[in-house]
Amino acid sequence: MGETSIGERPEPDAAGEGDGVIVTRSLTKRFRGGQLAVGGLDLTVPYGSVFGFLGPNGSGKTTTIRMLLGLIEPTSGTVRVLGRPMPRAARSVLPEVGALIEGPALYGFLSGRDNLLRYDAADPTSDPRTRRARVAGALERVGLTAAAGKKARAYSLGMKQRLGLAAALLRPRRLLVLDEPTNGLDPQGMREIRALIRELASDGTTVFLSSHLLDEIEQVCTHAAVMARGRLVTQGPVADLAAGARGRLVVRTPDVAEAARVLKEQGVGDVVAEEERVTGEVPGERDLADLNAALVRASVRVRGFGVERASLEDAFVALTGEGFDVAG
């Protein structure tokens, strides 16, 4: 197969599965004892997207990623990455894929710089003449230049995450697979990594980002898939996923108890009273102006009335009935 430049799409194969940088069909993994980790997964990751793979811990995200990269074999189903079948084509596919999975494996007695030199030397396709320059560039890109000479065992968890990301960026990649890339980072570090992900995507790299943080997915991803208990719940553009959930009716008032009573009497469901704020389900057939008028008739001092846009959290709860970790 000839060389393919970064961002260039391979020709679709006879099965028509050249439509995504990652395509799975009926992908299933059962472990010993019959435990289902991933069941019947049909996933399509568009070229050039920042694709969020979303789900709580234990939902099958990491198992799926390990199958995508050929680290474990599926029980059944198929995986194609960059238009080629995995794990059969792993030798030709993996040099074009950068990955950070379950935290980086580091030599604690070596410096951050020497760890990257080791990683690069292990790549048979790397040019030793440009190795130090590429390592220096990767360290600068993830903000570790000042700590490059420090032993890796002295790195914080966040610094280790950055070093693992630097290892994935030692050469241009068509696809970057990141499993919880902001794990252990402080808020500023999270912002920097998110900015780096956007930069990589703008350069033509497809980024597949696994996370349990809804806020992270909403801020950085163009597309997302939601997993729950080993199965795919939904996938599509992030904006469409959020738009599929109904927003919340919000009334701002100092008379929260009376406002809550009136809304319940008017048939509004899931009414929640907070400090100077009452929320509820948007009524399907009811005119919002009638609800506002009912509040005014009851002498409720209405200081704000409207519908808040649904978030990805709202969509997740509506789709799965589960709560979620939304910390950013």
Side-chain angles (χ1 to χ4, degrees):
M1 182 176 291
E3 288 297 313
T4 309
S5 63
I6 295 174
E8 181 183 330
R9 293 180 54 154
E11 290 298 316
D13 61 12
E17 291 188 345
D19 296 333
V21 67
I22 295 171
V23 178
T24 74
R25 292 292 177 258
S26 302
L27 185 64
T28 299
K29 181 64 179 180
R30 288 186 181 275
F31 291 114
R32 287 182 182 177
Q35 177 193 355
L36 182 69
V38 176
L41 180 63
D42 290 340
L43 193 68
T44 301
V45 177
Y47 282 84
S49 63
V50 180
F51 194 97
F53 197 42
L54 180 64
N57 293 327
S59 60
K61 302 191 307 296
T62 297
T63 299
T64 299
I65 288 174
R66 293 174 71 82
M67 287 191 284
L68 297 180
L69 297 177
L71 300 175
I72 57 175
E73 290 204 24
T75 304
S76 60
T78 62
V79 180
R80 297 185 71 84
V81 177
L82 298 173
R84 286 161 275 178
M86 292 291 285
R88 191 167 76 242
R91 185 169 294 183
S92 61
V93 169
L94 293 183
E96 300 182 79
V97 179
L100 175 59
I101 311 298
E102 294 184 318
L106 303 174
Y107 295 101
F109 62 92
L110 293 178
S111 68
R113 180 186 296 106
D114 286 342
N115 265 281
L116 292 189
L117 290 170
R118 283 277 187 102
Y119 270 113
D120 195 75
D123 182 350
T125 65
S126 71
D127 184 349
R129 294 169 299 181
T130 57
R131 179 164 297 144
R132 288 195 170 275
R134 280 184 286 106
V135 165
L139 287 166
E140 182 178 3
R141 205 162 194 189
V142 300
L144 280 180
T145 299
K150 184 184 292 188
K151 294 285 194 292
R153 62 170 168 255
Y155 277 20
S156 67
L157 177 59
M159 292 170 71
K160 289 176 180 177
Q161 286 291 101
R162 290 171 182 266
L163 191 61
L165 188 53
L169 297 174
L170 282 169
R171 56 177 284 170
R173 310 288 185 177
R174 295 178 61 201
L175 170 64
L176 197 58
V177 178
L178 307 177
D179 190 12
E180 304 281 356
T182 59
N183 184 34
L185 295 178
D186 59 22
Q188 178 59 28
M190 287 183 174
R191 285 191 289 272
E192 291 170 358
I193 295 303
R194 288 167 181 163
L196 175 58
I197 289 170
R198 294 187 193 100
E199 178 187 326
L200 291 165
S202 70
D203 290 343
T205 302
T206 303
V207 181
F208 185 86
L209 166 67
S210 164
S211 181
H212 69 286
L213 302 176
L214 283 155
D215 184 57
E216 184 160 79
I217 299 298
E218 277 197 297
Q219 287 193 41
V220 78
C221 294
T222 59
H223 296 71
V226 177
M227 293 284 288
R229 298 176 296 281
R231 296 191 180 276
L232 181 69
V233 178
T234 189
Q235 65 181 315
V238 168
D240 290 355
L241 296 184
R246 300 180 70 182
R248 295 277 291 174
L249 175 67
V250 179
V251 179
R252 301 186 187 280
T253 174
D255 308 316
V256 292
E258 183 66 6
R261 183 190 65 78
V262 172
L263 291 178
K264 289 176 182 177
E265 285 183 352
Q266 295 295 316
V268 175
D270 191 25
V271 174
V272 178
E274 302 166 328
E275 185 177 348
E276 297 207 347
R277 170 183 158 104
V278 181
T279 66
E281 293 178 350
V282 177
E285 303 297 327
R286 195 66 187 274
D287 190 329
L288 293 181
D290 290 344
L291 289 177
N292 194 19
L295 290 166
V296 172
R297 283 196 303 270
S299 299
V300 173
R301 291 169 289 177
V302 178
R303 294 176 176 169
F305 184 94
V307 176
E308 281 190 346
R309 180 185 67 85
S311 67
L312 199 55
E313 178 187 4
D314 298 321
F316 183 88
V317 173
L319 288 164
T320 68
E322 295 185 15
F324 213 87
D325 181 352
V326 295

